Amino acid sequence: MPDSMKKLEQLLGRVRSSITCTRPESVASVQTAPTLDDYPEHALLQSMQRLYREEDGLANPYFQARRGALNGGLEIGDRQYVSFSHYNYLGLAQDVRVKQAVHDAVERYGTHVGAARMVGGEIELHAQLENELAEFTGFEATLISVGGYSTNVAAIGYLLDQRDLIIHDEYMHNSGIMGAVLSGARRLAFPHNDMDALEHLLGEHRRHYRRALIVVEGAYSMDGDLVDLPRVVQLKQAHGCWLMVDEAHSCGTVGATGRGVCEHFGVLPAQIDLMMGTLSKSFASCGGFLAGRRDLIDLLRHFCPGLLLYSTGISPANTAAALAALRLMRTEPQRVTRLQDNARYFREQAIARGMDCRTAVPGVPIVPLMIDNDGALKLMSQLYENGVVAHAVMHPVVPRNAARLRCFISADHEPGQIEQTLDLIGRHLGAA
Ligand code: PMP
């Protein structure tokens, strides 16, 4: 491995604190203007830039702008690529009916809603989408907001405080963790999907706190496995907790008709206190939503800073795209079937080629292919040079020595694209 690569891998190891938790305190005796040199990420960025700039450096797969639409592939410059980096799960982002709905909404409402929803920024489409999302997910009520990430931060940050306890899966998305940090509640992580460990922590700590919230993902975004929903529901009931399930990756993809983990496990939505979803994946748009009991959703709608309060309403275009996508999801459930078939096929074919997919559940549209930590950047660039966009995820986003090529599957992928890509990955892994 070239020296520059080694240095880069070392630097990668040093940035974890800023991504997952608080930064170390800096102890400046002289008060000077802050510099970027204090940030380990700054050195990492410079090192990456050098790596990709060198004469015979690696092909840079980051921030590459595509020219046309996303389907199973995409175009960058004058070249066609197959993509496993996009969560356009149901292939609705380029659907003519979704695009037409966006055109119509912009024509009718203009490009923005004008204010926070409560004070003038409400458009008819907001309530339509919220009502139809409630019907689809099976919860009493929902609310939509401008971002998935900010939805988690705002809701968790608002609902709990210093007197409370938040227990989350160690692989919980950063937005959930940042919400917990914002809340000021005691935060504990349990080992991934280890329900016995969760039970143990609850037994030990629950009684010392006023409210307690368990936070899990429906389908885990790095591993493509599912929460053990029946067990976590049983634990939340036994220990008097709220349960929040982030269904960013499972809503629209998991369950016979894409209604998520409740449908998959046969659990009643009423047994979950708060479901979080994003509009930026299956829903071919951008934004976030929460679903739950009407009184809880009403409370959040009126008082949670950063959801509808102190923040502009989600745009007409984004609302219309999600609404049109949702309607297609309901009338064309074959998209979900095709997605799940593709995901199952990808995983099967990867395993048949000797690849390690960790705990990925068949049919879930995220499949990790475990790779050597040191070779991750190189592999990603080699694939890019060969017409495949698939991004590697390394520490600190995933645990040390658990680097992987994280592949998102789409209903748009053809079996041939899956086979050719896996052959190519297999050749490069074999040659590493
Ligand atoms: N939760 C999970 C599990 C995610 O993977 C993501 C982002 N991919 C989010 C929340 C944030 O959603 P958004 O991208 O819509 O901001």
Side-chain angles (χ1 to χ4, degrees):
M1 188 169 41
D3 278 355
S4 51
M5 285 280 285
K6 272 197 200 124
K7 195 164 167 225
L8 190 57
E9 299 295 351
Q10 282 162 6
L11 276 164
L12 266 170
R14 285 176 40 208
V15 296
R16 71 181 170 284
S17 60
S18 64
I19 297 187
T20 55
C21 207
T22 48
R23 285 176 207 291
E25 296 284 317
S26 87
V27 277
S29 51
V30 185
Q31 291 177 359
T32 53
T35 80
L36 295 186
D37 296 341
D38 297 342
Y39 293 79
E41 299 93 324
H42 182 56
L44 171 66
L45 186 60
Q46 288 176 321
S47 186
M48 282 176 77
Q49 284 165 345
R50 270 195 302 277
L51 188 73
Y52 290 125
R53 214 184 295 130
E54 280 166 11
E55 275 298 276
D56 54 351
L58 302 177
N60 184 354
Y62 294 114
F63 289 106
Q64 296 295 347
R66 68 180 152 91
R67 299 178 65 172
L70 265 185
N71 39 50
L74 54 96
E75 196 181 340
I76 298 171
D78 53 7
R79 184 157 188 199
Q80 279 301 128
Y81 292 79
V82 180
S83 169
F84 287 92
S85 280
H86 295 91
Y87 34 64
N88 178 23
Y89 288 131
L90 299 175
L92 289 167
Q94 71 285 357
D95 188 281
V96 284
R97 294 157 295 179
V98 176
K99 289 197 284 190
Q100 189 57 51
V102 171
H103 284 293
D104 295 347
V106 171
E107 202 49 53
R108 188 177 176 102
Y109 300 101
T111 55
H112 81 147
V113 297
R117 287 176 57 188
M118 204 167 155
V119 289
E122 186 81 5
I123 59 169
E124 296 149 303
L125 291 180
H126 289 151
Q128 279 170 30
L129 176 56
E130 288 175 344
N131 291 338
E132 292 189 31
L133 273 173
E135 271 174 38
F136 180 70
T137 56
F139 286 85
E140 267 180 28
T142 73
L143 66 79
I144 51 169
S145 180
V146 291
Y149 188 101
S150 52
T151 294
N152 268 341
V153 174
I156 300 173
Y158 168 73
L159 286 172
L160 291 298
D161 71 21
Q162 290 82 351
R163 293 163 289 180
D164 302 328
L165 174 68
I166 296 177
I167 306 194
H168 62 84
D169 190 287
E170 64 175 333
Y171 289 179
M172 180 59 210
H173 190 259
N174 179 267
S175 52
I177 294 173
M178 285 299 134
V181 171
L182 175 67
S183 74
R186 171 87 190 275
R187 179 172 72 85
L188 297 171
F190 61 92
H192 180 50
N193 259 343
D194 185 340
M195 293 297 137
D196 292 337
L198 172 60
E199 182 168 23
H200 181 77
L201 282 177
L202 285 168
E204 200 171 325
H205 297 278
R206 170 66 187 100
R207 64 181 176 280
H208 302 304
Y209 297 89
R210 180 187 56 164
R211 303 179 188 124
L213 172 71
I214 301 169
V215 190
V216 292
E217 288 183 33
Y220 282 88
S221 63
M222 294 295 157
D223 292 72
D225 51 3
L226 300 175
V227 64
D228 180 350
L229 192 63
R231 182 88 194 277
V232 83
V233 163
Q234 179 241 317
L235 289 176
K236 85 114 196 167
Q237 285 166 349
H239 292 268
C241 305
W242 275 336
L243 170 63
M244 177 171 182
V245 183
D246 176 335
E247 293 226 56
H249 294 273
S250 47
C251 186
T253 67
V254 170
T257 59
R259 282 168 164 76
V261 284
C262 282
E263 181 178 37
H264 177 88
F265 286 104
V267 166
L268 285 177
Q271 297 192 291
I272 291 168
D273 300 281
L274 203 52
M275 172 215 166
M276 177 270 174
T278 173
L279 303 179
S280 66
K281 298 183 171 69
S282 303
F283 293 89
S285 179
C286 198
F289 70 92
L290 291 166
R293 275 200 341 252
R294 187 170 302 282
D295 57 356
L296 175 58
I297 295 297
D298 276 348
L299 183 75
L300 292 166
R301 178 188 299 284
H302 288 84
F303 294 108
C304 177
L307 283 180
L308 275 56
L309 186 64
Y310 303 124
S311 185
T312 308
I314 179 171
S315 74
N318 283 321
T319 314
L323 183 57
L326 172 59
R327 288 177 177 166
L328 290 171
M329 238 181 250
R330 299 176 80 176
T331 52
E332 298 179 0
Q334 65 274 18
R335 287 177 180 275
V336 178
T337 312
R338 189 168 149 83
L339 171 68
Q340 293 175 356
D341 287 347
N342 277 349
R344 217 170 277 117
Y345 188 62
F346 187 99
R347 180 180 170 280
E348 249 169 50
Q349 290 292 310
I351 291 171
R353 286 164 175 76
M355 295 174 198
D356 174 7
C357 300
R358 275 221 332 177
T359 48
V361 168
V364 173
I366 303 158
V367 185
L369 303 176
M370 303 312 287
I371 50 181
D372 172 20
N373 234 19
D374 294 338
L377 291 172
K378 196 164 159 215
L379 174 66
M380 184 169 45
S381 294
Q382 285 168 333
L383 296 178
Y384 188 68
E385 274 170 1
N386 285 284
V388 171
V389 181
H391 284 89
V393 189
M394 292 155 275
H395 181 76
V397 181
V398 290
R400 254 176 230 291
N401 297 322
R404 79 242 3 228
L405 209 60
R406 192 249 311 248
C407 299
F408 291 118
I409 318 302
S410 167
D412 276 344
H413 284 131
E414 295 297 335
Q417 291 176 315
I418 293 175
E419 289 151 16
Q420 282 155 23
T421 300
L422 287 170
D423 283 343
L424 181 70
I425 296 171
R427 278 201 298 281
H428 284 288
L429 286 179

Coordinates of all heavy atoms in Angstrom, one line a residue, residues 168-203:
H168 N -30.1 3.1 23.3 CA -30.2 2.9 21.8 C -29.3 1.8 21.4 O -28.3 1.5 22.1 CB -29.9 4.2 21.1 CG -28.5 4.7 21.3 ND1 -27.4 4.2 20.6 CD2 -28.0 5.6 22.2 CE1 -26.3 4.9 21.0 NE2 -26.7 5.7 21.9
D169 N -29.6 1.2 20.3 CA -28.7 0.2 19.7 C -27.4 0.9 19.3 O -27.4 2.0 18.9 CB -29.4 -0.4 18.4 CG -28.6 -1.6 17.8 OD1 -27.5 -1.4 17.3 OD2 -29.2 -2.7 17.9
E170 N -26.3 0.2 19.5 CA -25.0 0.8 19.2 C -24.8 1.2 17.8 O -24.0 2.1 17.5 CB -23.8 -0.1 19.6 CG -23.8 -1.4 18.8 CD -22.6 -2.3 19.1 OE1 -21.5 -1.8 19.5 OE2 -22.7 -3.5 18.9
Y171 N -25.6 0.6 16.9 CA -25.5 1.0 15.5 C -26.6 2.1 15.1 O -26.8 2.3 13.9 CB -25.7 -0.2 14.6 CG -24.6 -1.2 14.6 CD1 -24.6 -2.4 13.8 CD2 -23.4 -1.0 15.3 CE1 -23.6 -3.3 13.8 CE2 -22.4 -1.9 15.4 CZ -22.5 -3.0 14.6 OH -21.4 -3.9 14.6
M172 N -27.2 2.6 16.1 CA -28.2 3.7 15.8 C -27.6 4.8 14.9 O -26.4 5.2 15.1 CB -28.7 4.2 17.1 CG -29.8 5.3 16.9 SD -31.2 4.7 16.0 CE -31.8 6.2 15.2
H173 N -28.3 5.3 14.0 CA -27.9 6.3 13.1 C -27.5 7.6 13.9 O -28.0 7.9 14.9 CB -29.0 6.7 12.1 CG -28.6 7.6 11.0 ND1 -28.8 9.0 11.1 CD2 -27.9 7.4 9.9 CE1 -28.4 9.5 9.9 NE2 -27.8 8.6 9.2
N174 N -26.5 8.3 13.4 CA -25.9 9.5 14.1 C -27.0 10.5 14.4 O -26.9 11.2 15.5 CB -24.9 10.1 13.1 CG -24.3 11.3 13.7 OD1 -24.7 12.4 13.5 ND2 -23.2 11.2 14.5
S175 N -28.1 10.6 13.6 CA -29.1 11.6 13.9 C -29.8 11.3 15.2 O -30.2 12.2 16.0 CB -30.1 11.7 12.8 OG -30.6 10.4 12.5
G176 N -30.0 10.0 15.5 CA -30.7 9.6 16.8 C -29.7 9.9 17.9 O -30.2 10.3 19.0
I177 N -28.5 9.6 17.7 CA -27.5 9.9 18.8 C -27.4 11.4 19.1 O -27.3 11.8 20.3 CB -26.1 9.2 18.4 CG1 -26.3 7.7 18.4 CG2 -25.0 9.6 19.4 CD1 -25.1 6.9 17.9
M178 N -27.4 12.1 18.1 CA -27.3 13.6 18.3 C -28.5 14.1 18.9 O -28.4 15.1 19.7 CB -27.0 14.3 16.9 CG -25.6 14.1 16.4 SD -24.4 14.8 17.6 CE -23.2 13.6 17.6
G179 N -29.7 13.5 18.7 CA -30.9 13.9 19.4 C -30.7 13.6 20.8 O -31.1 14.4 21.7
A180 N -30.2 12.4 21.1 CA -30.0 12.1 22.5 C -29.0 13.0 23.2 O -29.2 13.4 24.4 CB -29.5 10.6 22.6
V181 N -27.9 13.4 22.5 CA -27.0 14.3 23.1 C -27.7 15.7 23.4 O -27.6 16.3 24.5 CB -25.8 14.5 22.2 CG1 -24.9 15.7 22.7 CG2 -25.0 13.2 22.1
L182 N -28.5 16.1 22.4 CA -29.2 17.4 22.6 C -30.1 17.4 23.8 O -30.3 18.4 24.5 CB -30.0 17.7 21.3 CG -30.9 18.9 21.3 CD1 -30.1 20.2 21.4 CD2 -31.8 18.9 20.1
S183 N -30.8 16.2 24.0 CA -31.8 16.1 25.1 C -31.1 16.3 26.5 O -31.8 16.8 27.4 CB -32.5 14.8 25.0 OG -31.6 13.8 25.5
G184 N -29.9 15.9 26.6 CA -29.2 16.0 27.9 C -29.6 14.8 28.8 O -29.1 14.6 29.9
A185 N -30.3 13.8 28.2 CA -30.7 12.6 29.0 C -29.4 11.7 29.1 O -28.5 11.8 28.4 CB -31.8 11.8 28.3
R186 N -29.5 10.8 30.1 CA -28.4 9.8 30.2 C -28.5 8.9 29.0 O -29.7 8.5 28.7 CB -28.6 9.0 31.5 CG -27.8 7.8 31.6 CD -26.4 8.1 32.3 NE -25.5 7.0 32.2 CZ -25.4 6.0 33.1 NH1 -26.2 6.0 34.1 NH2 -24.5 5.1 33.0
R187 N -27.4 8.6 28.3 CA -27.5 7.9 27.1 C -26.7 6.6 27.2 O -25.5 6.6 27.6 CB -26.9 8.7 26.0 CG -26.9 8.0 24.6 CD -26.5 9.0 23.5 NE -25.0 9.4 23.6 CZ -24.1 8.7 23.0 NH1 -24.3 7.6 22.3 NH2 -22.8 9.1 23.1
L188 N -27.3 5.5 27.0 CA -26.6 4.2 27.0 C -26.8 3.5 25.7 O -27.9 3.6 25.1 CB -27.2 3.3 28.1 CG -27.1 3.8 29.6 CD1 -27.9 2.9 30.5 CD2 -25.6 3.8 30.0
A189 N -25.8 2.8 25.2 CA -25.9 2.0 24.0 C -25.9 0.5 24.3 O -25.1 0.1 25.2 CB -24.8 2.4 23.0
F190 N -26.7 -0.3 23.7 CA -26.6 -1.7 23.9 C -26.0 -2.4 22.6 O -26.2 -1.8 21.5 CB -27.9 -2.4 24.3 CG -29.0 -2.2 23.2 CD1 -29.2 -3.2 22.3 CD2 -29.9 -1.1 23.3 CE1 -30.3 -3.1 21.3 CE2 -30.9 -1.0 22.3 CZ -31.1 -1.9 21.3
P191 N -25.3 -3.5 22.8 CA -24.6 -4.1 21.6 C -25.7 -4.4 20.6 O -26.8 -4.8 20.9 CB -24.0 -5.4 22.2 CG -23.9 -5.2 23.7 CD -25.0 -4.2 24.0
H192 N -25.3 -4.3 19.3 CA -26.2 -4.4 18.2 C -27.1 -5.6 18.3 O -26.7 -6.7 18.3 CB -25.4 -4.5 16.9 CG -26.3 -4.6 15.7 ND1 -27.3 -3.7 15.5 CD2 -26.3 -5.4 14.6 CE1 -27.9 -4.0 14.4 NE2 -27.3 -5.1 13.8
N193 N -28.4 -5.3 18.3 CA -29.5 -6.3 18.3 C -29.5 -7.3 19.4 O -30.1 -8.3 19.3 CB -29.5 -7.0 16.9 CG -30.6 -6.5 16.0 OD1 -31.5 -5.8 16.4 ND2 -30.5 -6.8 14.7
D194 N -28.7 -7.0 20.5 CA -28.6 -7.9 21.6 C -29.7 -7.6 22.6 O -29.5 -6.7 23.5 CB -27.2 -7.8 22.2 CG -27.0 -8.8 23.3 OD1 -27.9 -9.3 23.8 OD2 -25.8 -9.1 23.6
M195 N -30.8 -8.3 22.5 CA -32.0 -7.9 23.3 C -31.7 -8.4 24.8 O -32.3 -7.8 25.7 CB -33.2 -8.6 22.8 CG -33.6 -8.1 21.4 SD -34.1 -6.3 21.6 CE -33.3 -5.6 20.1
D196 N -30.9 -9.4 25.0 CA -30.6 -9.7 26.4 C -29.8 -8.6 27.1 O -30.1 -8.3 28.2 CB -29.8 -11.0 26.4 CG -30.6 -12.2 26.0 OD1 -31.8 -12.1 26.0 OD2 -30.0 -13.2 25.5
A197 N -28.9 -8.0 26.3 CA -28.1 -6.9 26.9 C -29.1 -5.7 27.1 O -28.9 -5.0 28.2 CB -27.0 -6.5 25.9
L198 N -30.0 -5.5 26.3 CA -31.0 -4.4 26.5 C -31.8 -4.6 27.7 O -31.9 -3.7 28.6 CB -31.9 -4.2 25.2 CG -33.1 -3.3 25.4 CD1 -32.6 -1.8 25.7 CD2 -33.9 -3.3 24.1
E199 N -32.2 -5.9 27.9 CA -33.0 -6.2 29.1 C -32.2 -6.0 30.3 O -32.7 -5.4 31.3 CB -33.4 -7.7 29.0 CG -34.3 -8.1 30.1 CD -35.0 -9.5 29.9 OE1 -34.4 -10.3 29.1 OE2 -36.0 -9.7 30.5
H200 N -30.9 -6.4 30.3 CA -30.0 -6.2 31.4 C -29.9 -4.7 31.8 O -30.0 -4.3 32.9 CB -28.7 -6.9 31.1 CG -27.7 -6.8 32.2 ND1 -27.8 -7.6 33.3 CD2 -26.7 -5.9 32.4 CE1 -26.8 -7.3 34.2 NE2 -26.2 -6.2 33.6
L201 N -29.6 -3.9 30.8 CA -29.4 -2.5 31.0 C -30.7 -1.9 31.6 O -30.7 -1.0 32.5 CB -29.1 -1.8 29.7 CG -27.6 -1.9 29.2 CD1 -27.5 -1.2 27.9 CD2 -26.7 -1.3 30.3
L202 N -31.9 -2.3 31.0 CA -33.1 -1.7 31.5 C -33.3 -2.1 33.0 O -33.7 -1.3 33.8 CB -34.3 -2.2 30.7 CG -34.4 -1.6 29.3 CD1 -35.4 -2.4 28.4 CD2 -34.8 -0.1 29.4
G203 N -33.0 -3.4 33.3 CA -33.2 -3.9 34.7 C -32.3 -3.0 35.7 O -32.7 -2.7 36.8

